[in-house]
Amino acid sequence: MDLQDLSAVGPAPETADRDPFLQALGERVRSLRARKGMTRKALARASEVSERHLANLELGVGNASILVLRQVARALDCPLAELLGDETAASPEWLLIRDLLRGRSDDALRRARVALAELYGEAGRPDARTSRIALVGLRGAGKSTLGLALADALDVPFVELNTEIERVAGCSIAEIHNLLGPAAYRRYERRALEETVQLYPDAVIATPGGIVSDPATFNLLLSHCYTIWLKAQPEEHMQRVIAQGDLRPMAGNQEAMEDLKRILAGRSAFYGKADLQFETGGQSSGEAVARLREALRQATGR
């Protein structure tokens, strides 16, 4: 699903009368769509807004009505305020908190997030968290291959979260998306992760590439698992997926590589919240497993 045929967005027309607000709005729509791995066609179908209208919206041309924006926000499963760029204006407390956080460094914001998680009982115990390893990254990063080998090396269960999602939903991943839609998929994904955390005090978990798309689910993952971002170059992601026999990334779309790069760009900041980053490119699976095992030992003592 990471390498779906995302409709590419062409360069914006060079016009002097493009409104900065509309340009920023279009970029937020593109970014949210890329982060969630949705094609423009899929967004058009989910929002009941034409692809042409969405193209104009993403390019920052035309003046979308508030009703259209509400439909798009619902399809992207985000508040309308987030689409408009002011998600923290819901209450006086939000405004006061926003003022406290404004201008802080990314590391300071991370500490604030961790402190809030502990304050509200959302954080797992540090020792329990390091006993549960979660691998994140785009499809083709090696999460399943390296995850299974790492679980064997640590002598702990290996959990493929996609399999758990299908178990919880009672149908395949494709059926969830085709019949129930992305919002339902995210609900099943969160429930599957909650059950996995409860059932497995020790495990290596391979997560779907889009798990970073839902803040609540990603917070749960960060709070209860030691996360490792498996990184690779876009070309390697593409080659590995095709080597697995999945030719969909190339089917009828010469812009597949640009689409992949856009998805990676949209998610990298979220993947970067992982406890450890590990480059999987340019090495055999055996070498990667040995290096990953050593990196984990140095970082956690396991």
Side-chain angles (χ1 to χ4, degrees):
M1 295 199 309
D2 298 314
L3 308 187
Q4 283 181 336
D5 176 350
L6 291 185
S7 303
V9 177
E14 295 293 332
T15 56
D17 57 351
R18 292 179 68 223
D19 187 275
F21 174 78
L22 292 179
Q23 292 181 57
L25 173 63
E27 180 55 40
R28 279 191 290 273
V29 173
R30 284 201 304 274
S31 177
L32 280 166
R33 180 165 70 82
R35 191 193 313 165
K36 293 176 181 295
M38 293 181 73
T39 66
R40 194 188 295 155
K41 181 177 293 185
L43 179 57
R45 183 168 58 248
S47 64
E48 298 183 345
V49 175
S50 73
E51 287 188 65
R52 181 177 180 181
H53 202 137
L54 286 175
N56 286 336
L57 176 62
E58 292 187 357
L59 289 172
V61 297
N63 193 350
S65 74
I66 193 67
L67 293 177
V68 167
L69 293 180
R70 185 175 66 177
Q71 289 172 243
V72 172
R74 286 175 175 172
L76 289 170
D77 195 28
C78 71
L80 180 58
E82 182 178 358
L83 204 62
L84 296 175
D86 191 19
E87 68 275 17
T88 59
S91 72
E93 290 298 339
W94 260 119
L95 292 171
L96 292 170
I97 292 171
R98 184 179 68 180
D99 187 68
L100 286 173
L101 298 178
R102 181 182 288 119
R104 306 287 182 182
S105 68
D106 199 59
D107 185 60
L109 292 174
R110 182 193 61 79
R111 294 198 302 270
R113 171 176 57 79
V114 171
L116 286 172
E118 293 175 350
L119 175 65
Y120 293 115
E122 299 291 335
R125 300 194 325 273
D127 58 332
R129 199 174 73 88
T130 54
S131 296
R132 202 180 290 110
I133 310 299
L135 305 180
V136 301
L138 281 186
R139 188 178 177 194
K143 290 173 294 184
S144 295
T145 302
L146 297 186
L148 180 58
L150 180 62
D152 287 341
L154 295 174
D155 194 25
V156 298
F158 173 66
V159 180
E160 189 83 56
L161 198 59
N162 270 336
T163 301
E164 297 305 303
I165 294 170
E166 293 181 332
R167 178 187 59 79
V168 169
C171 59
S172 70
I173 299 293
E175 288 173 323
I176 298 173
H177 280 280
N178 294 335
L179 300 177
L180 303 175
Y185 172 81
R186 293 302 171 201
R187 289 196 300 271
Y188 287 126
E189 181 182 60
R190 179 172 174 80
R191 191 184 310 166
L193 180 59
E194 288 173 339
E195 292 187 6
T196 297
V197 167
Q198 292 172 358
L199 291 172
Y200 296 96
D202 298 275
V204 174
I205 307 168
T207 68
I211 199 167
V212 298
S213 299
D214 184 78
T217 305
F218 195 41
N219 260 328
L220 178 67
L221 187 77
L222 292 174
S223 296
H224 292 274
C225 302
Y226 186 87
T227 53
I228 303 176
W229 177 16
L230 299 186
K231 304 174 66 175
Q233 294 301 311
E235 294 78 9
E236 289 181 292
H237 282 288
M238 186 73 75
Q239 290 168 3
R240 291 171 184 174
V241 172
I242 293 175
Q244 293 167 5
D246 188 349
L247 302 180
R248 287 176 300 167
M250 304 304 295
N253 182 16
Q254 295 183 353
E255 305 296 331
M257 185 56 67
E258 291 305 314
D259 295 337
L260 172 58
K261 290 177 180 178
R262 178 174 287 277
I263 294 174
L264 186 57
R267 293 177 178 172
S268 288
F270 294 88
Y271 290 146
K273 298 302 177 185
D275 298 286
L276 180 67
Q277 299 183 21
F278 182 79
E279 178 64 53
T280 65
Q283 55 195 309
S284 68
S285 59
E287 292 171 336
V289 170
R291 289 184 58 244
L292 178 58
R293 180 72 183 86
E294 177 58 22
L296 184 62
R297 187 192 65 77
Q298 293 184 7
T300 68
R302 292 196 66 185

